[in-house]
């Protein structure tokens, strides 16, 4: 009986582990982006509002990005990088 339970549970556990790995990886990249945005913005001496104006985005969106609460599109990452004068890859390093 225990062997049947384990064989039925195994695919579920595997899917859960896979989901968690993807989720953790997404969090890591959002955290890197958030940290880099904040540091580069502060190096320029910009407020979130000034940065948002430079990038053509809303201030609250910048705030969400800097907290790691949003998943920006690649187009938004490009806008952010252009405003900061760096490559998009620099934001994700």
């Amino acid at each position: 009986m225990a062997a049947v339970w384990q064989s039925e549970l195994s695919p579920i556990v595997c899917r859960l582990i896979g989901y968690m790995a993807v989720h953790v990886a997404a969090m890591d990249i959002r955290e890197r982006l958030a940290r880099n945005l904040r540091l580069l913005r502060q190096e320029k001496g910009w407020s979130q509002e000034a940065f948002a104006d430079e990038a053509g985005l809303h201030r609250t969106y910048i705030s969400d990005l800097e907290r790691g609460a949003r998943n920006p599109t690649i187009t938004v990452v490009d806008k952010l990088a252009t405003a900061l004068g760096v490559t998009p890859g620099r934001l994700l390093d």
Side-chain angles (χ1 to χ4, degrees):
M1 186 85 137
V4 172
W5 172 254
Q6 289 175 345
S7 67
E8 290 176 6
L9 185 60
S10 189
I12 294 168
V13 170
C14 289
R15 277 187 241 132
L16 180 59
I17 290 170
Y19 169 80
M20 290 172 56
V22 168
H23 185 67
V24 167
M27 288 300 293
D28 290 343
I29 198 163
R30 282 197 311 251
E31 289 171 6
R32 283 194 311 255
L33 177 66
R35 181 189 62 234
N36 290 333
L37 285 175
R38 189 172 36 258
L39 290 173
L40 291 166
R41 174 183 62 78
Q42 290 172 343
E43 283 177 8
K44 291 202 172 276
W46 290 344
S47 65
Q48 287 181 341
E49 187 170 6
F51 180 30
D53 287 342
E54 287 291 325
L57 300 167
H58 196 275
R59 183 203 55 80
T60 58
Y61 189 70
I62 297 295
S63 174
D64 287 348
L65 290 172
E66 288 189 4
R67 289 184 293 110
R70 293 282 194 121
N71 285 317
T73 64
I74 194 67
T75 304
V76 169
V77 171
D78 186 56
K79 284 183 177 186
L80 297 166
T82 299
L84 291 166
V86 299
T87 64
R90 169 66 180 92
L91 296 178
L92 305 174
D93 285 341

